[in-house]
């Protein structure tokens, strides 16, 4: 599927985490589904696509997490590779990965395949943190639902 079509699917589903949007995000992360010849995106387009501010994208660039090329006019031009990286960064930040861990991970990625075991360890640690967050949120949801049931039994509630 063309990059533009994937982007359209993600934007069309921006009201919530629909299956279509999730599938499109996974395809966007897959290098095989995004052609290298896709038109580069401006900082505003890239920010809108991944749901971040332009300020955050510039911060990620300053931190060395993404390195968009510059076009002939000197403006940032986010390639398909940059977009995939931004989707990854956005998901990891949403899951609570620290900037320190992200910087370390990206540094390892840029060092090549010999760092895969260490990158895998970082992802396994992150998976453990996410699993714990899910459990904690599950308990919070159960508590909230309990309180709602209690209030449903009271006319003033």
């Amino acid at each position: 599927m063309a990059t533009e079509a994937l982007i359209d699917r993600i934007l069309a589903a921006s009201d919530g985490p629909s299956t279509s949007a999730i599938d499109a995000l996974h395809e966007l992360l897959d290098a095989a589904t995004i052609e290298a010849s896709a038109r580069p995106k401006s900082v505003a387009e890239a920010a809108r696509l991944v749901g971040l501010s332009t300020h955050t994208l510039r911060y990620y660039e300053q931190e060395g997490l993404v390195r968009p090329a510059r076009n002939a006019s000197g403006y940032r031009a986010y390639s398909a590779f940059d977009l995939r990286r931004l989707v990854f960064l956005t998901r990891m930040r949403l899951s609570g990965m620290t900037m320190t861990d992200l910087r370390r991970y990206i540094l390892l990625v840029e060092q090549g395949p010999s760092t895969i075991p260490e990158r895998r360890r970082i992802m396994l640690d992150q998976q453990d943190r996410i699993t714990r967050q899910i459990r904690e949120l599950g308990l919070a949801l159960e508590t909230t639902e309990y309180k709602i049931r209690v209030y449903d039994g009271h006319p003033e509630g």
Side-chain angles (χ1 to χ4, degrees):
M1 176 177 287
T3 304
E4 297 301 324
L6 282 172
I7 292 169
D8 288 344
R9 280 177 51 198
I10 293 168
L11 293 175
S14 63
D15 290 339
S18 71
T19 302
S20 175
I22 292 167
D23 289 344
L25 281 170
H26 288 179
E27 289 178 41
L28 190 59
L29 282 170
D30 182 0
T33 63
I34 299 179
E35 63 282 0
S37 63
R39 180 184 65 80
K41 306 292 180 227
S42 69
V43 67
E45 290 170 320
R48 185 180 44 133
L49 175 63
V50 296
L52 298 172
S53 69
T54 57
H55 174 78
T56 299
L57 293 188
R58 290 181 184 110
Y59 172 71
Y60 283 177
E61 183 180 354
Q62 180 183 5
E63 292 297 310
L65 299 176
V66 66
R67 293 180 181 88
R70 299 285 179 149
N71 64 20
S73 301
Y75 294 109
R76 289 168 179 82
Y78 288 85
S79 67
F81 173 83
D82 296 323
L83 293 175
R84 284 191 299 275
R85 168 99 30 114
L86 288 171
V87 169
F88 171 76
L89 293 171
T90 302
R91 294 299 114 207
M92 291 300 99
R93 288 296 293 151
L94 180 64
S95 73
M97 184 178 267
T98 66
M99 288 298 292
T100 300
D101 286 345
L102 272 175
R103 281 189 297 268
R104 176 75 182 139
Y105 182 86
I106 295 301
L107 179 67
L108 291 169
V109 167
E110 292 173 349
Q111 290 175 7
S114 66
T115 65
I116 287 175
E118 190 171 350
R119 286 186 266 160
R120 185 175 188 281
R121 172 57 27 216
I122 291 170
M123 287 293 108
L124 287 169
D125 290 345
Q126 185 62 16
Q127 181 183 37
D128 290 346
R129 283 189 292 270
I130 292 168
T131 300
R132 180 179 173 90
Q133 284 178 319
I134 290 169
R135 285 190 199 126
E136 290 171 355
L137 286 171
L139 290 172
L141 179 59
E142 287 178 26
T143 302
T144 302
E145 289 170 344
Y146 168 78
K147 281 301 197 180
I148 290 169
R149 284 192 308 275
V150 167
Y151 294 143
D152 284 344
H154 297 289
E156 296 110 30

